Amino acid sequence: MKRKILFLICVFMSFLVSSIALAAASTADADSSALTTTSSGSTTDNSATAEKKATFHVVCAYDHNTPITNLDIYFKNPSNGEMVSGTTDAQGNISFSEMNGGVYNVYMTDTYGNYVSAESSVSITTDEPEPLMVPVPLAKLQVIYQNSSLENYQEPSYTVSGTFDKTYKLAPLAAGTSVTNESGYVATGASYLVTVKSEKGIIGQSYFAIPSKTGNFYIQIYDRNLNIFMKNIRLFL
């Protein structure tokens, strides 16, 4: 009887040890499937669900020296629908402390509501020590308002219209002087309507088409109080 009991105990212990070994091997295989060994012998974690820290530097696609500042940006992973978003800072940077690894498409809207997408997707595979550059087909818009009359303007203003309108009210402008006003960002290849109402109530309107390959676009407004003339004065390709 004692021998039979001892035999059963040995069988049970042998089964238990085998089960533990199989479970350990299965776990090791699962872990190794998320790892890749390079030719140098180092190992990289390729798990798409691992959270990463990433910083992006968003710039105009055709002028990488022009950052896109204070504008909303969206990163979307098409494989699972995950989206993260935020607003670029005064240097055109944006950071995420916990961003799942994967490939993301990048989208923005310009200052006037026109939708644009970055020229290429971004791939997050590890914590990024340096900002990843994200070129977006937007151009920086500047408007130069010149008072060409002999009278001072107390409330000069102009409106830029895209998907929606935005009106810029300027400080009083002395006769014969001009001011350069930052007017956000416009989508390359799109058209915008600029409307000006002079001090005496004269209305001037003009459409401007933004070239497809430019990082900066300048419009000059000549307000003579009897007529308004607008033109694109400089274009950087």
Side-chain angles (χ1 to χ4, degrees):
M1 183 66 177
K2 290 182 178 180
R3 289 181 178 180
K4 186 176 181 180
I5 293 174
L6 288 174
F7 173 76
L8 292 174
I9 291 174
C10 289
V11 170
F12 176 77
M13 292 300 293
S14 177
F15 174 79
L16 182 62
V17 170
S18 298
S19 298
I20 293 173
L22 287 172
S26 176
T27 301
D29 289 340
D31 291 342
S32 64
S33 66
L35 302 176
T36 297
T37 302
T38 66
S39 58
S40 62
S42 61
T43 302
T44 302
D45 185 1
N46 294 324
S47 174
T49 59
E51 290 183 340
K52 316 295 181 182
K53 180 179 180 180
T55 298
F56 303 94
H57 182 55
V58 188
V59 298
C60 294
Y62 303 105
D63 182 359
H64 291 180
N65 293 320
T66 300
I68 298 175
T69 63
N70 305 312
L71 210 60
D72 292 340
I73 186 168
Y74 307 88
F75 296 81
K76 184 175 182 180
N77 187 331
S79 66
N80 58 18
E82 178 186 2
M83 178 178 286
V84 293
S85 62
T87 304
T88 57
D89 63 17
Q91 287 73 47
N93 297 325
I94 186 169
S95 297
F96 300 97
S97 59
E98 297 180 349
M99 189 173 185
N100 289 333
V103 177
Y104 290 80
N105 295 330
V106 184
Y107 309 93
M108 301 187 83
T109 54
D110 71 7
T111 305
Y112 308 97
N114 291 337
Y115 173 89
V116 296
S117 59
E119 294 188 316
S120 60
S121 58
V122 296
S123 179
I124 306 300
T125 58
T126 184
D127 286 343
E128 303 292 345
E130 299 292 337
L132 296 175
M133 182 178 291
V134 181
V136 179
L138 292 173
K140 187 176 183 179
L141 177 63
Q142 290 181 309
V143 172
I144 303 172
Y145 198 114
Q146 181 171 336
N147 179 0
S148 301
S149 75
L150 299 177
E151 302 176 10
N152 297 337
Y153 291 174
Q154 297 304 312
E155 296 182 348
S157 66
Y158 63 92
T159 299
V160 180
S161 304
T163 300
F164 55 75
D165 305 335
K166 185 171 183 178
T167 298
Y168 297 86
K169 295 182 178 180
L170 307 178
L173 197 59
T177 63
S178 64
V179 62
T180 299
N181 193 53
E182 301 290 343
S183 304
Y185 299 88
V186 288
T188 60
S191 294
Y192 299 82
L193 175 66
V194 178
T195 303
V196 183
K197 184 177 181 180
S198 73
E199 190 90 351
K200 293 187 179 300
I202 305 298
I203 300 295
Q205 290 186 316
S206 183
Y207 278 98
F208 292 90
I210 311 302
S212 59
K213 293 185 178 181
T214 184
N216 295 272
F217 195 78
Y218 301 80
I219 297 172
Q220 184 148 13
I221 299 172
Y222 297 91
D223 191 341
R224 298 186 176 91
N225 246 336
L226 296 177
N227 60 66
I228 295 170
F229 176 68
M230 292 181 278
K231 67 175 184 178
N232 167 226
I233 61 166
R234 288 186 292 174
L235 176 62
F236 286 26
L237 298 176

